[in-house]
Amino acid sequence: MKYVLICLALLGVLVACNEGFERVLPERDYTDTTSAIGKRAKVLYLIVDGARGQSVRSAGAENLQSLLDHSIYSFNSLSDTLALNGTTWAGMLTGVPKEKHGVLDNNFTSDSLDKYPVVFERIKAASPERRIAAFSTSTAFKNNLTDGADVKEAFSTDEAVKDAVIEELGMDTASVVLGQFSLVDAAGAQFGYDVSVPQYKEAILQFDEYLGEILTALRAREDYAQEDWLVVITSNRGGDFPIDPSEDDNTIFSEPAVNTFVVLYNPDYQPTLVGKPYTGNRYVGDFVRLRGQDAGAINAIVPDDRGLYDFGDTVEFTVELKVKVMPGNQGNYRYAYPSILAKRASFNPGQVGWLIFLEQDYWMINFGQTGKGNQQVRGTPISDGTWHSIAAVVLNREISGVKRRVVRTFTDGVFNNEMILPADWGNINTSAPLTMGFLPGSISQGPADVYMGDVRIWLAELPDEIISQYACDTFVDESHPYFLYLAGYWPCNDGSGGVFKDYSAAENDFQLQGSYGWENINELICPPSSSDLADLVPGNRDIPLIILSWLNISSRQEWGMDGRVWIDNY
């Protein structure tokens, strides 16, 4: 009867799914403009070491800015996560990540460049008649990353590199010209990698002056009208600099060391900005950090839930919650299994009930039964210091003519794993209180260190599409199609007092225990992974493929090149 009072009925038709991130670059077939027909494809490739994209955007670099009306460009592009000069240069010349090219330092001590050669060698193999010239301020760059170039020289200053590039552009046979500049990186290393630092800004503007001279020389070529130049200007990496906490979204885009810029210029392009992609919803409020164990534990219990969360052996239910596991605790969770939400007296074998807990860097849900041990289903890693949405759905399914209980797990709205409980698992009811955080009396439990919020318990099996649609929302209201099945809803961001208030009809408040305090948090929920985000903006390893595509040289599968050819659709 208690379930009937709460589970009145489903609301009507499910609401439409939230729209996801739309690609900035439109899908369409590339068609050469009439002016480009018959022109000879050529490439000017300029690398500016240590130039943070956000700083370059704000520096007032007039010559660079003048190109943007005919460019595909981004000030939120990314370097390799190992932001060393050698590593990033190698990606920019081979088109593969560090896991393949093997350059893990600035000395090229363990590289695999024989297996993943630089783009100049790919060009020469396909078009040996093309003249390639590479000029740099680094002998390591010259000695390791210019194989295949007809001319390769290292100089002591950016000005000398600029002069060499201009001289090369004065030659009729110039086809691919590279210049690598280091003044911006030197200024950043000495004074700081931010446009607010006068010396760093001055170095960016000095490069911009050199760029103006180089562009003048390019356009002065005798056969420029019959040539089709792609100008690539980019940084190999950014540089460490403390950013304003309000700008930190806990994603790779808040790491100044990997923030780069890229400009792909051709006079026939329309302006296309590749901006920062969607990185998750904001989660704002005052929360309690649940941590510690035994007498020092900060946790919370529902003293008398009136049996509402005893689900017997047939009741279908769903548990959802947001959790932020503080980083650095993965090792602590290898042999201790802290509970974060439980309806169970302890984690001891044979204790009846259910609990959600942490193991190593991932989460799991466990079901105990007297005399039968434990059954558990794994979620995914979440111990990264960011908010994640986790959900466990328990439903009934007929299998071989027998009704069985099935448990399904989800993280950030994505299905993880499924398990069928044994047919004789039976009733999971217990008089133990619903507990958030440390679970007393467990012989295998260590202390968790987490923030929790938006805890929801439903007396229904939520379908996959509903889990996915609402996973990263930070609230529940009457618009949710299963709202009338809500048997407990604790936002946990009350901000004051000694309870996590239950905003469902059940009104089962959690009572806070221990020396708790309220902390303001303003962070993202459900951020995409760094690898997913990196695919949404240009990166170092994209450049070789872009150059090959521009020169009409097809990349072969056996080359193992990664990245994306951003110019294909223009």
Side-chain angles (χ1 to χ4, degrees), residues 64 67-68 71-74 231-234 261-265:
L64 185 71
L67 301 178
L68 301 186
S71 295
I72 305 163
Y73 64 99
S74 178
V231 179
V232 181
I233 311 168
T234 186
F261 79 96
V262 62
V263 174
L264 308 173
Y265 167 80

Side-chain angles (χ1 to χ4, degrees), residues 292-309:
Q293 62 184 4
D294 301 325
I298 300 173
N299 63 353
I301 65 170
V302 177
D304 180 12
D305 60 32
R306 305 182 301 281
L308 189 57
Y309 314 115

Side-chain angles (χ1 to χ4, degrees), residues 438-506:
F438 178 74
L439 188 63
S442 172
I443 61 172
S444 58
Q445 170 135 71
D449 188 0
V450 301
Y451 295 89
M452 291 175 60
D454 195 37
V455 179
R456 318 167 185 176
I457 297 180
W458 311 84
L459 292 178
E461 169 211 345
L462 265 60
D464 291 13
E465 62 271 19
I466 297 299
I467 294 285
S468 176
Q469 180 176 344
Y470 291 93
C472 297
D473 287 354
T474 57
F475 64 92
V476 173
D477 60 22
E478 290 85 351
S479 66
H480 194 289
Y482 281 75
F483 185 75
L484 293 180
Y485 286 82
L486 199 57
Y489 172 47
W490 301 270
C492 300
N493 60 354
D494 307 74
S496 63
V499 301
F500 291 148
K501 184 174 176 56
D502 180 5
Y503 287 85
S504 76

